Amino acid sequence: RLVQNDSSSAAGNVLADILKAPAVQALCRRAELGGALTFSGVAAPAQPFFAALLQRSFPQRSIVVVTENLRTQESFQQDLETWLGAPLLFYPAWEILPHENKLPHADVISDRLQTLVTLGESRITHHASCLVITSVTALLQKTFAPDDLQSRTRHLQRGDKFAPLDLIEFLEAQGYEAEAQVSQKGEIALRGGIVDIFPPTSPWPVRLEFFGDELESLRFFDPLTQISREEISSITLPPAGELGIIKQQLERGLQPASPQEGKAASDNSKPSGNPALQRPEGRAPLATLLDYLPKETIFFLCEPESLAVHADTYEQQVPQADPFFISWPDFLVDLNRRGFTSVELGDAEVGVPASACSPDRLNPELQLAEPEFGAPLFASLDAFRPLAERAPEPQIAEAQRREFFQQLQRWLRQDYAVHVFCNNDGERQRFEEIWDELGFAKVAQEARLSNERVSAGSLPEEMRRRDACATLHLGSLARGFICDEAKLVVVTDAEIFGRYKIQRPRRQKSSHAQAARSALDIDFTELEEGDLVVH
């Protein structure tokens, strides 16, 4: 028997159940104490789930997950969104070297600025917690200082009063380019009492309509047709760039604004009477992501040995004394100095310390003892369902699949909770077909009828639960894992179909990319046998 569950809360139920495991509760107590915690009993496929567990345990604390590269970062984000059912902050590296004569992609800057602006607002309000997915390279790249970014960011809402020309001049100082018609991120246009702006962090450009100096309405609009879309009540306008603006800042030697600049800013602000549109009075030094985080933040350092290797590789490509660069050891020292909690997650053998990235490795007397478990808390399913780069012969593939499905039956009989995650309805239907083809539905039916003939009170516990069900979910996960202590098994379509999942590219935020996606979206469940398709 199979139980279908389409709700995103289903993943929350899995998290709630496993939080009752003694080992998980012990780890949560350790994390609450702070300091550096090393735990090498978490297989790579389970690390996003592990991070979701800690987020569920400490909902008021911000969490930063550090991965080795962009591919792992994207996979981690995809899994975490499945477990938590909500979008996360994605903080990527520039994907270029700062000394190169080119700028990062607009969507990279968009993600970075969205993260920095959100963290900056949370830092000021002291309320909302954030979950950030980043890479070790991104952490080594310096950016705006929080106060500098705040002075370059404006929040506009209906009813504000300021002159449209003052807004245009302020935005031009933050890197926006004036055009006759807005079609790309970072562009602005002024037509009478209408100002069109395309903020880097927004999926659509926004149209501001003024009545005199009063902001009367805000609407998104389509940059291709220029037709207005839904109305909004407010908009956040960050700088139009990051690396390019900071480079110009460095070329001026990080000097305070000249008296002429200060006077011009003051003069420009007089007509509107709105100090929010005054230009920044000076230049701030560069900062790292640590400067945007509250001291209660928990850092997840995934596969610390690999993080150190990737950091060293990046450092070898950066020129000496690069102002945008901070070394990995220096970053860890700063992390430790600020009192952040760090949790190192590794897939190493039990008892093998994975402390290559521990900030406290420089102070052995401060290190916390590693949890002692007889086996890894979360193990991969490789021993039950090994995947090869190339698909085996059909007969071998079928035998392996049958054996794995028999293992699923064994887990169910042993009272394990088996959760199967499928990407879409088509894959879920195919799983059910295979389940029926192999006869497991009939076996479950016979077991249930047999149990009904005998009083449940006279049956052993293991027999009374033999009719347990696998639960099907719609959700995208990279690989499955098993937690013996909590009697939990998570299975993905990778194990079901015996193939590595093709990594879904991170969705671009530009409206052009959204338009392209809507044209290419296909519901494969609508296809019927005999339909003609182009493969």
Side-chain angles (χ1 to χ4, degrees):
R1 287 169 56 196
L2 303 172
V3 176
Q4 296 185 7
N5 198 327
D6 297 336
S7 173
S8 60
S9 64
N13 294 336
V14 180
L15 292 170
D17 290 342
I18 201 170
L19 280 172
K20 302 173 184 177
V24 175
Q25 292 179 349
L27 186 67
C28 291
R29 289 193 295 268
R30 291 283 300 281
E32 192 171 8
L33 296 175
L37 176 62
T38 300
F39 189 70
S40 57
V42 182
Q47 289 176 5
F49 179 75
F50 193 83
L53 281 177
L54 266 291
Q55 195 278 337
R56 186 61 59 91
S57 301
F58 304 102
Q60 303 304 319
R61 300 178 66 175
S62 294
I63 294 177
V64 178
V65 177
V66 186
T67 62
E68 60 185 6
N69 54 33
L70 178 62
R71 180 177 179 181
T72 308
Q73 183 183 358
E74 291 175 343
S75 177
F76 218 107
Q77 180 199 30
Q78 173 183 280
D79 284 16
L80 262 177
E81 287 182 346
T82 297
W83 288 119
L84 298 177
L88 314 169
L89 294 176
F90 191 88
Y91 190 72
W94 288 321
E95 299 179 18
I96 64 166
L97 295 174
H99 61 276
E100 295 177 339
N101 190 25
K102 54 184 178 181
L103 296 177
H105 191 277
D107 283 332
V108 171
I109 295 300
S110 174
D111 284 328
R112 288 174 63 91
L113 287 176
Q114 182 67 63
T115 300
L116 296 176
V117 170
T118 303
L119 290 177
E121 293 174 349
S122 300
R123 177 170 163 263
I124 295 173
T125 59
H126 302 288
H127 288 303
S129 60
C130 302
L131 202 161
V132 183
I133 314 297
T134 187
S135 67
V136 62
T137 304
L139 294 180
L140 305 185
Q141 296 170 342
K142 293 184 178 181
T143 183
F144 293 113
D147 292 341
D148 191 21
L149 180 61
Q150 182 183 358
S151 69
R152 297 176 180 276
T153 303
R154 294 296 176 263
H155 305 278
L156 308 182
Q157 59 184 8
R158 190 185 304 114
D160 284 348
K161 293 185 178 181
F162 51 86
L165 285 176
D166 291 339
L167 176 62
I168 291 293
E169 184 168 352
F170 172 82
L171 293 176
E172 286 180 337
Q174 308 312 318
Y176 287 84
E177 296 183 2
E179 300 288 347
Q181 182 173 288
V182 168
S183 61
Q184 303 290 336
K185 289 179 180 290
E187 294 181 348
I188 53 177
L190 174 63
R191 301 188 310 279
I194 297 177
V195 178
D196 289 346
I197 311 170
F198 204 153
T201 54
S202 174
W204 298 99
V206 63
R207 178 161 292 155
L208 311 179
E209 296 185 8
F210 288 82
F211 183 76
D213 287 350
E214 181 178 352
L215 181 53
E216 194 172 47
S217 73
L218 302 88
R219 290 181 178 274
F220 286 132
F221 69 92
D222 190 324
L224 300 178
T225 64
Q226 297 291 304
I227 296 177
S228 295
R229 294 169 54 89
E230 66 272 20
E231 188 172 2
I232 57 177
S233 59
S234 62
I235 188 69
T236 297
L237 305 178
E242 179 195 13
L243 185 58
I245 293 177
I246 298 176
K247 282 185 174 181
Q248 294 177 358
Q249 190 173 309
L250 291 174
E251 289 173 359
R252 292 193 292 267
L254 291 175
Q255 296 297 322
S258 65
Q260 291 76 12
E261 280 185 302
K263 182 177 183 301
S266 177
D267 292 343
N268 291 334
S269 66
K270 287 178 182 178
S272 67
N274 187 351
L277 294 183
Q278 293 181 5
R279 293 169 58 184
E281 290 296 331
R283 305 291 182 259
L286 301 184
T288 67
L289 193 66
L290 296 176
D291 295 290
Y292 286 82
L293 298 166
K295 63 180 181 179
E296 299 84 8
T297 300
I298 301 175
F299 269 79
F300 277 88
L301 305 176
C302 302
E303 304 298 339
E305 297 282 357
S306 182
L307 295 183
V309 171
H310 280 78
D312 183 64
T313 301
Y314 178 73
E315 183 173 4
Q316 294 177 13
Q317 304 176 59
V318 177
Q320 292 289 335
D322 189 304
F324 293 97
F325 175 73
I326 179 175
S327 70
W328 186 230
D330 289 344
F331 182 90
L332 293 173
V333 169
D334 196 16
L335 184 150
N336 183 44
R337 179 183 61 81
R338 294 169 184 260
F340 291 119
T341 299
S342 64
V343 179
E344 295 184 359
L345 297 180
D347 197 7
E349 297 179 1
V350 175
V352 177
S355 58
C357 290
S358 173
D360 290 338
R361 74 194 193 286
L362 304 177
N363 304 284
E365 67 277 5
L366 298 179
Q367 286 203 33
L368 297 173
E370 185 173 354
E372 296 179 359
F373 297 102
L377 181 59
F378 294 96
S380 71
L381 297 180
D382 289 344
F384 304 97
R385 189 62 157 129
L387 301 185
E389 292 293 341
R390 298 184 61 181
E393 295 295 326
Q395 298 86 347
I396 298 176
E398 183 62 28
Q400 291 176 341
R401 179 183 298 161
R402 177 179 291 272
E403 172 57 31
F404 182 70
F405 272 67
Q406 290 174 346
Q407 179 61 50
L408 293 181
Q409 273 288 318
R410 286 192 287 270
W411 279 321
L412 289 172
R413 289 197 299 269
Q414 295 166 5
D415 197 25
Y416 277 72
V418 177
H419 295 268
V420 181
F421 285 80
C422 301
N423 273 336
N424 49 55
D425 277 316
E427 288 188 350
R428 183 169 64 179
Q429 293 172 14
R430 180 56 184 148
F431 175 84
E432 294 173 333
E433 291 172 359
I434 297 173
W435 190 265
D436 291 339
E437 289 170 3
L438 296 178
F440 296 124
K442 182 178 179 181
V443 171
Q445 176 74 7
E446 292 175 350
R448 186 176 70 257
L449 293 175
S450 176
N451 290 348
E452 289 174 353
R453 296 191 188 102
V454 185
S455 170
S458 63
L459 285 174
E461 180 70 14
E462 59 182 21
M463 289 295 293
R464 291 203 302 269
R465 298 189 178 182
R466 182 170 291 181
D467 192 29
C469 306
T471 305
L472 302 186
H473 306 273
L474 284 180
S476 186
L477 296 175
R479 291 296 305 273
F481 57 88
I482 181 172
C483 178
D484 286 314
E485 178 169 342
K487 307 200 81 170
L488 168 72
V489 180
V490 172
V491 179
T492 71
D493 50 320
E495 290 83 28
I496 297 169
F497 302 107
R499 60 174 180 263
Y500 281 106
K501 182 178 291 187
I502 298 175
Q503 177 63 39
R504 181 190 70 185
R506 183 163 47 94
R507 292 200 164 195
Q508 293 183 328
K509 302 173 69 175
S510 68
S511 52
H512 298 284
Q514 289 185 340
R517 282 198 304 272
S518 63
L520 294 174
D521 281 345
I522 299 173
D523 185 357
F524 290 97
T525 61
E526 295 179 355
L527 297 178
E528 299 180 356
E529 187 173 350
D531 287 348
L532 298 178
V533 300
V534 178
H535 187 276

